[in-house]
Amino acid sequence: MRELKERILKDGQALNEAVLKVDSFINHQVDPNLMENIGKTFADKFADDGVTKVVTIESSGIAPSVFTAKAMNVKLVILKKSTSKILEDNISQTEVASYTKGTEYQLTLNKKYINRNDRVLIIDDFLARGEAAQGAIRLIEAQGAEVVGVGILIEKAFQSGNKALRDKGYTVCSLARIKNLSDGHIEFLED
Ligand code: G4P
């Protein structure tokens, strides 16, 4: 998506060879106009897939997901990151390890909001190793629902997430694919 790539080049910062800072328009401050256009773009790309729910992971996935769900006229379900196991009938959890942040958490779904008839589009801000997306897929499929695709704002294509998801048969749509972040330069993979 050209608008997102241009914004990354203008306001993003390659913190080191592995981390891209996008605080001013995605993580700490959100640009709603950009998020609205991202939502419309995902809605167009997945228009023929019969999506019934958008699912995201708190917190930075929420803004683009709200606009995606609005553009598709479906509800948004938010997966929470819990530090502990919750023993309740309506809760489903799976452990996710974050390589980038060196943390582990229980990705948590309120089962009331996903059922076996749902066709789910997962949206998240970053794709690194794909651990969060795969955790989301485990929770959604455990409900008997189908994951029709994974929409990502920024994919770090030098990490393994895209391959891991595609190898398992999932459609991945990344709006900006970063090839390289070394020496402070941001280089994209061509579409
Ligand atoms: P993975 O799911 O693809 O394996 O990714 P990983 O666990 O490594 O990433 C964990 C967190 O780090 C996620 O945020 C993700 O958005 C963020 N992240 C990964 N790479 C980058 C990067 O290059 N730049 C920035 N800005 N963030 C990155 P999170 O813990 O879910 O936080 P948030 O959604 O609450 O912001």
Side-chain angles (χ1 to χ4, degrees), residues 84-99:
S84 59
K85 292 207 171 180
I86 300 169
L87 296 172
E88 278 178 38
D89 281 353
N90 59 329
I91 295 295
S92 176
Q93 293 185 305
T94 187
E95 186 163 298
V96 171
S98 166
Y99 169 77

Side-chain angles (χ1 to χ4, degrees), residues 20 27 59-60 81 98 100-101 126 128-132 156:
L20 175 68
N27 291 135
S59 58
S60 300
K81 292 178 199 147
S98 166
T100 306
K101 297 196 172 171
F126 272 93
R129 289 192 171 184
E131 298 295 341
K156 297 197 287 185

